Amino acid sequence: MVNRRAIALPLVLVVLLVGGAFVAAALYMTENYYSSARQMVTGTRLYNAAVSGIEIGKAWIYENVKSGKIPHWEDKDGDGILSSDDRPDSAAYVYEALLAKIGMADSGVFEEITEDGIKLHIVVYDLVYEPDPDLNYERGFPPRIRPQVDDISAVTGPSYPSANRVGSGVERTMEEGDMAIYLIRCIATYKDRTITVEQAVVMRL
């Protein structure tokens, strides 16, 4: 005669094992969904904070231009060309010379912290420059932009010398001071997450 208790025990163990596997899978999926949702929310917060940092840079440009002060990059050797000689004394990269400044006291660098603890590093670069033929490209180099006389405000050029550096069509450069072009770069950081947002600003003077 078959012992029903002996048969029931293995069946119960199998049911428990299968049920436990389903519960573990459900917990894993829930945890992954929560983690993905949290990462998405953090990314959105970082982006929105970085955009607010861009607006801080814009406000600094507009306020200075409105008062007749035009931020420019510092040409240390006075030759009008960005070269390794223009590298600031404490800077890691040559392109840091393109930092837009008003004299020595007011520069386009800002450090902000949002209400929810996101750190913002905002830098305003002057994009109207000419690269030295011996200048090497560096990661993060702001693009060189040439002002134009037509209604199209600017044409982007390479940030380093190139034998093929020519534009399309006939171009005529405007007189210096007729147009100011800047790149605002904002790096937003929260814990171990970082996002960088950039925007160009063109001011016809």
Side-chain angles (χ1 to χ4, degrees), residues 30-171:
T30 302
E31 183 178 355
N32 278 355
Y33 176 79
Y34 173 75
S35 178
S36 299
R38 183 176 58 183
Q39 293 291 332
M40 184 179 298
V41 170
T42 300
T44 301
R45 289 172 56 202
L46 281 169
Y47 176 78
N48 290 337
V51 170
S52 70
I54 295 293
E55 296 303 317
I56 292 174
K58 284 183 183 179
W60 179 77
I61 295 172
Y62 293 154
E63 289 172 5
N64 279 294
V65 171
K66 185 177 180 180
S67 63
K69 302 174 182 177
I70 311 302
H72 288 294
W73 68 281
E74 183 180 3
D75 184 10
K76 290 176 66 175
D77 52 18
D79 62 357
I81 298 175
L82 179 66
S83 66
S84 58
D85 294 333
D86 296 308
R87 183 201 306 267
D89 296 335
S90 60
Y93 302 104
V94 174
Y95 70 78
E96 293 183 56
L98 297 175
L99 173 64
K101 296 181 178 180
I102 299 294
M104 298 299 295
D106 190 8
S107 62
V109 179
F110 312 94
E111 303 288 345
E112 301 286 339
I113 299 180
T114 66
E115 294 180 354
D116 47 359
I118 298 176
K119 297 180 181 179
L120 303 179
H121 177 65
I122 308 153
V123 184
V124 180
Y125 294 105
D126 184 0
L127 298 187
V128 182
Y129 67 93
E130 187 69 25
D132 184 90
D134 297 326
L135 188 64
N136 295 321
Y137 175 78
E138 298 169 335
R139 183 179 178 84
F141 220 122
R144 180 178 68 96
I145 294 185
R146 303 186 299 276
Q148 304 298 306
V149 297
D150 54 17
D151 291 336
I152 300 177
S153 58
V155 172
T156 303
S159 305
Y160 50 93
S162 170
N164 298 320
R165 189 175 62 200
V166 293
S168 59
V170 178
E171 299 176 358

